[in-house]
Amino acid sequence: MTATADLSHHIIQAEGRRRLYSIAIVVITAAVIFAGYGQANSMNSGGFLNGLTKFFDYPSEIVVEAWEARTAFLGLMYKFTPALIETLNIAAVATILGGVMGMIFAFLGSGNLDIWPRAVPIARRTMDILRAFPELIIALFLIFVLGTSPVPAMIAVAFHTTGALGKQFSEVNENIDRKAIEGLEACGANWFQRMKFAVLPQVLPNYLSYFMLRFEINVRASAILGFVGAGGIGAELRRTIGWGQGSGDETAALFVLLILSIFVIDQTSSYLRRRLIQKNSD
Amino acid sequence: MIGVIGRSGAGKSTLLRMINRLTDADGGEIVIDGRDVLQLKGAAKRRWQRDCAMIFQQFNLVPRLDVVTNVMLGRLNGHNTLKSMFNIFGAEEIERALAALERLDIVDQALQRAETLSGGQQQRVAIARALTQAPKMILADEPIASLDPLSAEIVMKSLREIHERDNLTVICNLHTLDTARAYCDRVIGMLHGKMVFDGPPEDLKPAAVREIYGADREIDEATTSTSLPGRSATPPVSTPEPVSVAV
């Protein structure tokens, strides 16, 4: 009886400690945010609250101009479609390249797949390095070396994607059930066969959703890279936003295109995932 | 057909896993057909693993693959890597897998995903996979420990039938004495990693049982029994027929 009383006392104490930590974290976070606000506000020109009143001026301008050009709006969207396709192309090639490379790194970097143990930290640190560089920096460097074209943007995005997908894929790998691997090992299956038949069926649906999410992120990243000379929809956005007043309709058309493409990717992703899961259950 | 009994942690599973080379041994040798299987490496080791099919307590099927594919995976060892990457199984292998499923009376579920099956059905799929390996012996690591009595009986009878019809050695780790008595020709008792009993099940007298389990008092088998009353293949020798099923 006293043993259970001790145990429940112990559990209540531990619970109280956890709650204390949570409160401390909330307080510290709030303090950091407030301190940071004061610091940032004193360094900015103009001040945060003054700027806030003007916050909606530019978007409302865009909306007004888009409304005035409403009859020509579809035409504008059609006009920018080639730019969108270029951006989607950059994103797609980069995601596929990065996905394949990421898969190789993911298998090397998973601790539960009978890999040579020393390869695991090496693969992980390599992925860390790949993720550490922002796409923009790599793209700027490559544009400097290779000139302005979609290729540097593609390499830059693929570089980052390898690290990001590699990490997510390896985390999926590490959550699998090892029993199936052991079952095949006991049949005398070699390493590739074990990975193909015991690991891939378990991880592919999750790979697919991370892959499609990354594609979506990469569409955005490729659009940004247009700002630094990689072409595509980003270059058009830079032009229209740079001109400011008068080209709000074009800016709006570009945004609508971007938003639509993200919608389509998201829907495709859930459709594919459903298909993949169902196919195996038939 | 050999039954291995002993307390949890006595080394029964480790013994089977060392024979199949899933676990490495610290030392010693395991001589089978005149060669030490502990020395095997690479392709030869995998070849040996194919020859001694393993059946697990938790079945160890690939949950998201269908039953017939799971069974065909038993043939992987004959495949080269490139061929298996493209998922190629021949008509002969499909035939063989279906025949094995038919024999285990589970061919109706061939196209279902393995994870949708009950425990007893999954274990029969695992045995079918073992059969398609065309093994020289079968190792079963507590094959019925997570099954209900009826499924357990089907699984044990299948193993016994394979032993008799295909003339394969079956080594089976067991938790219950009456199962060992009912199905095995030879019983090995283990305690703390050592063999403390080796003989026919008839010699499994209460004194021997006490030694194997390291118990000071009598063990009431009726409370641990997983067999159905009156359905044992042969009646228990030295204890009264279990009268109740504790599940």
Side-chain angles (χ1 to χ4, degrees):
Chain A
M1 271 298 118
T2 53
T4 34
D6 273 357
L7 192 63
S8 74
H9 180 69
H10 187 76
I11 291 169
I12 290 167
Q13 263 190 339
E15 195 76 12
R17 251 200 317 278
R18 262 200 299 276
R19 213 168 297 148
L20 200 67
Y21 288 149
S22 314
I23 295 169
I25 287 169
V26 170
V27 169
I28 290 169
T29 311
V32 167
I33 288 172
F34 280 113
Y37 173 76
Q39 175 82 8
N41 210 21
S42 67
M43 287 168 84
N44 281 350
S45 65
F48 178 67
L49 288 174
N50 291 337
L52 203 59
T53 56
K54 294 179 192 143
F55 186 81
F56 292 105
D57 289 357
Y58 183 59
S60 60
E61 215 170 85
I62 290 176
V63 172
V64 168
E65 284 180 28
W67 179 247
E68 282 163 359
R70 58 190 174 278
T71 45
F73 201 71
L74 276 179
L76 278 176
M77 279 171 67
Y78 181 71
K79 180 181 140 195
F80 289 126
T81 304
L84 176 73
I85 290 174
E86 188 176 354
T87 297
L88 289 178
N89 260 337
I90 296 172
V93 175
T95 315
I96 291 169
L97 269 180
V100 172
M101 293 296 294
M103 228 168 113
I104 295 169
F105 275 108
F107 275 85
L108 292 175
S110 304
N112 59 339
L113 300 182
D114 314 325
I115 296 278
W116 182 49
R118 275 183 216 162
V120 175
I122 294 173
R124 287 196 186 161
R125 293 300 83 77
T126 313
M127 287 189 281
D128 289 348
I129 294 168
L130 290 171
R131 278 199 313 279
F133 292 101
E135 286 111 344
L136 205 58
I137 305 298
I138 304 169
L140 277 174
F141 172 74
L142 287 175
I143 285 171
F144 182 70
V145 179
L146 302 172
T148 53
S149 81
V151 178
M154 193 202 76
I155 299 174
V157 176
F159 200 77
H160 189 90
T161 302
T162 303
L165 278 183
K167 183 182 169 67
Q168 286 170 322
F169 286 176
S170 81
E171 276 167 12
V172 173
N173 288 349
E174 293 192 332
N175 278 328
I176 63 160
D177 182 1
R178 262 197 61 91
K179 290 203 294 279
I181 302 178
E182 197 165 67
L184 292 197
E185 188 179 0
C187 298
N190 68 29
W191 186 81
F192 286 103
Q193 292 168 333
R194 295 203 295 275
M195 295 305 113
K196 167 76 169 65
F197 288 105
V199 179
L200 282 187
Q202 297 188 61
V203 298
L204 273 184
N206 284 337
Y207 273 23
L208 185 73
S209 51
Y210 279 129
F211 181 85
M212 292 303 286
L213 178 66
R214 207 7 85 170
F215 180 48
E216 194 185 306
I217 294 170
N218 285 349
V219 171
R220 243 163 11 240
S222 316
I224 292 168
L225 293 185
F227 274 69
V228 296
I233 208 165
E236 299 291 339
L237 263 177
R238 177 160 106 151
R239 187 175 57 76
T240 60
I241 292 176
W243 280 358
Q245 260 173 345
S247 59
D249 49 348
E250 293 189 312
T251 311
L254 287 166
F255 274 128
V256 170
L257 279 177
L258 259 183
I259 292 167
L260 280 181
S261 53
I262 300 290
F263 278 165
V264 170
I265 294 167
D266 182 58
Q267 289 301 311
T268 316
S269 159
S270 28
Y271 170 76
L272 284 178
R273 194 159 189 277
R274 250 196 328 271
R275 274 282 303 274
L276 189 64
I277 290 169
Q278 267 168 4
K279 196 188 84 187
N280 284 335
S281 69
D282 285 341
Chain B
M1 187 154 173
I2 305 171
V4 184
I5 57 173
R7 291 168 66 172
S8 292
K12 308 188 292 293
S13 293
T14 310
L15 174 68
L16 291 198
R17 293 172 64 89
M18 283 192 305
I19 297 176
N20 185 269
R21 298 295 314 274
L22 283 173
T23 302
D24 281 325
D26 293 331
E29 50 182 19
I30 297 174
V31 180
I32 290 165
D33 289 341
R35 63 175 179 172
D36 182 5
V37 297
L38 292 179
Q39 300 304 323
L40 298 175
K41 281 195 175 64
K45 172 182 152 188
R46 291 198 294 274
R47 183 89 196 173
W48 161 245
Q49 287 179 315
R50 197 200 78 179
D51 286 344
C52 65
M54 187 99 171
I55 290 160
F56 299 84
Q57 181 185 344
Q58 296 294 332
F59 330 126
N60 292 19
L61 302 173
V62 185
R64 293 180 45 80
L65 290 181
D66 59 37
V67 164
V68 68
T69 309
N70 261 296
V71 175
M72 286 189 294
L73 294 183
R75 302 297 300 167
L76 276 183
N77 187 255
H79 285 211
N80 68 40
T81 302
L82 196 66
K83 200 171 152 195
S84 35
M85 288 304 114
F86 290 101
N87 229 338
I88 297 167
F89 290 101
E92 183 241 350
E93 277 163 330
I94 296 172
E95 285 293 305
R96 196 188 190 107
L98 288 177
L101 284 170
E102 182 114 60
R103 189 165 164 192
L104 275 297
D105 194 24
I106 196 160
V107 76
D108 291 340
Q109 277 81 19
L111 294 178
Q112 277 184 36
R113 257 205 263 181
E115 64 191 349
T116 63
L117 267 54
S118 73
Q121 290 173 321
Q122 289 196 40
Q123 194 60 292
R124 273 139 73 197
V125 174
I127 296 175
R129 176 169 79 185
L131 282 178
T132 55
Q133 283 175 240
K136 294 185 177 136
M137 67 195 291
I138 288 186
L139 310 170
D141 189 6
E142 292 178 11
I144 58 169
S146 34
L147 302 181
D148 66 89
L150 191 61
S151 302
E153 191 187 306
I154 294 170
V155 164
M156 287 311 296
K157 280 194 169 151
S158 310
L159 289 174
R160 181 76 204 181
E161 195 255 352
I162 289 164
H163 165 67
E164 282 167 5
R165 210 171 95 189
D166 300 350
N167 210 15
L168 292 178
T169 305
V170 176
I171 305 180
C172 192
N173 283 351
L174 292 168
H175 255 328
T176 52
L177 289 169
D178 55 342
T179 320
R181 287 203 185 92
Y183 297 100
C184 299
D185 310 307
R186 178 179 165 195
V187 175
I188 289 173
M190 286 184 74
L191 180 66
H192 303 316
K194 295 212 160 45
M195 190 168 80
V196 293
F197 177 87
D198 181 6
E202 298 82 45
D203 290 354
L204 214 51
K205 301 270 161 36
V209 171
R210 270 205 301 281
E211 196 193 348
I212 293 168
Y213 288 95
D216 301 327
R217 55 189 172 75
E218 210 66 38
I219 297 167
D220 181 10
E221 284 185 41
T223 58
T224 60
S225 167
T226 53
S227 70
L228 295 173
R231 287 182 64 137
S232 299
T234 55
V237 178
S238 58
T239 51
E241 189 96 22
V243 286
S244 67
V245 188
V247 184

